[in-house]
Amino acid sequence: MTDKEVEVFLAARDSLKQMQSNLVLKEYINGNNPLKVYCPDCKQTFSTYMKVIKDNHGCCPCCKGGIVVKGFNTFGDLFPDLVKYFKNKEDAFSYSYGSGEKIEVKCPNCGMEFKVILNHLSKRGFSCPMCSDKVSLPNRILRTFLKFISKQLNEYDFEKEFDWSQGKVYDGYFVKNSKKYLVEMQGE
């Protein structure tokens, strides 16, 4: 073994000591060969390298959220109260709570369907961009109006930022008869 391999092995061995309850099922040969490890907490068997064990400080990738296991660490397992908002309930059990995946949800109050990043949903909870009290009253009125006339519009959006707007976000944007319109409800 090279000095680097010895260093990685010793650091990983120390990390494995932190992972005391996990059982190494396959003997360590060198840094190029994976170990097979069993975690009694999540009941998962996984292959990993000593360097990965070192980098994860001995934490099992399933328990840490790097591997998604239905029935243990999926979004739906950890946040069952938010599953009711998912348009496709299976999506809740396909990703981890920290995922950057955009999932389609539906508001039970107004019926609006929209996409939300799972990571945001797990941190902030559910908030409808149409009817939530987190949206100002003028913006809710604008959103309701645009949704009401949506069949007459080619396109519409809320909280719209453009490359040319230098960070300015407009409350509403819509296109009708190939003409583009911006709406600002309370700002400058």
Side-chain angles (χ1 to χ4, degrees):
M1 283 190 349
T2 66
D3 289 345
K4 185 68 176 167
E5 284 180 320
V6 169
E7 181 184 323
V8 169
F9 172 77
L10 292 174
R13 186 193 65 196
D14 293 341
S15 292
L16 273 172
K17 286 179 185 174
Q18 291 175 359
M19 200 168 58
Q20 292 170 356
S21 62
N22 290 14
L23 305 171
V24 177
L25 302 176
K26 185 177 173 188
E27 185 179 327
Y28 177 79
I29 299 169
N30 63 36
N32 297 326
N33 293 335
L35 291 166
K36 197 166 204 168
V37 181
Y38 172 76
C39 176
D41 295 332
C42 64
K43 313 270 189 281
Q44 298 301 308
T45 301
F46 57 94
S47 292
T48 188
Y49 294 90
M50 279 293 212
K51 182 173 180 353
V52 174
I53 292 171
K54 175 187 165 272
D55 293 347
N56 287 341
H57 306 288
C59 187
C60 163
C62 177
C63 294
K64 191 174 181 179
I67 297 173
V68 179
V69 177
K70 189 173 182 176
F72 182 73
N73 69 348
T74 66
F75 185 94
D77 296 322
L78 300 174
F79 297 93
D81 55 317
L82 295 175
V83 174
K84 63 185 172 194
Y85 300 111
F86 282 67
K87 189 171 177 189
N88 177 3
K89 306 290 186 228
E90 274 304 304
D91 285 344
F93 300 97
S94 301
Y95 302 99
S96 75
Y97 72 93
S99 173
E101 193 71 29
K102 283 188 172 184
I103 300 297
E104 196 149 348
V105 293
K106 183 175 181 177
C107 177
N109 298 325
C110 70
M112 181 177 181
E113 295 178 3
F114 59 97
K115 289 192 175 191
V116 65
I117 297 172
L118 282 178
N119 186 13
H120 296 174
L121 187 59
S122 66
K123 287 181 180 176
R124 302 175 189 155
F126 181 82
S127 178
C128 177
M130 181 68 73
C131 68
S132 170
D133 59 0
K134 293 178 182 176
V135 177
S136 72
L137 180 60
N139 285 3
R140 278 187 283 176
I141 292 169
L142 171 66
R143 291 169 186 201
T144 303
F145 176 71
L146 289 177
K147 187 175 178 186
F148 182 73
I149 64 165
S150 64
K151 289 186 169 93
Q152 300 170 29
L153 304 176
N154 304 97
E155 174 186 351
Y156 71 98
D157 201 355
F158 315 115
E159 305 295 324
K160 186 82 171 165
E161 181 178 357
F162 299 91
D163 294 335
W164 53 263
S165 66
Q166 300 174 346
K168 170 87 172 120
V169 178
Y170 292 92
D171 293 333
Y173 165 79
F174 63 95
V175 179
K176 182 174 180 174
N177 300 329
S178 301
K179 291 185 181 178
K180 298 177 182 178
Y181 297 89
L182 291 175
V183 181
E184 182 60 41
M185 296 301 287
Q186 293 177 293
E188 300 168 8

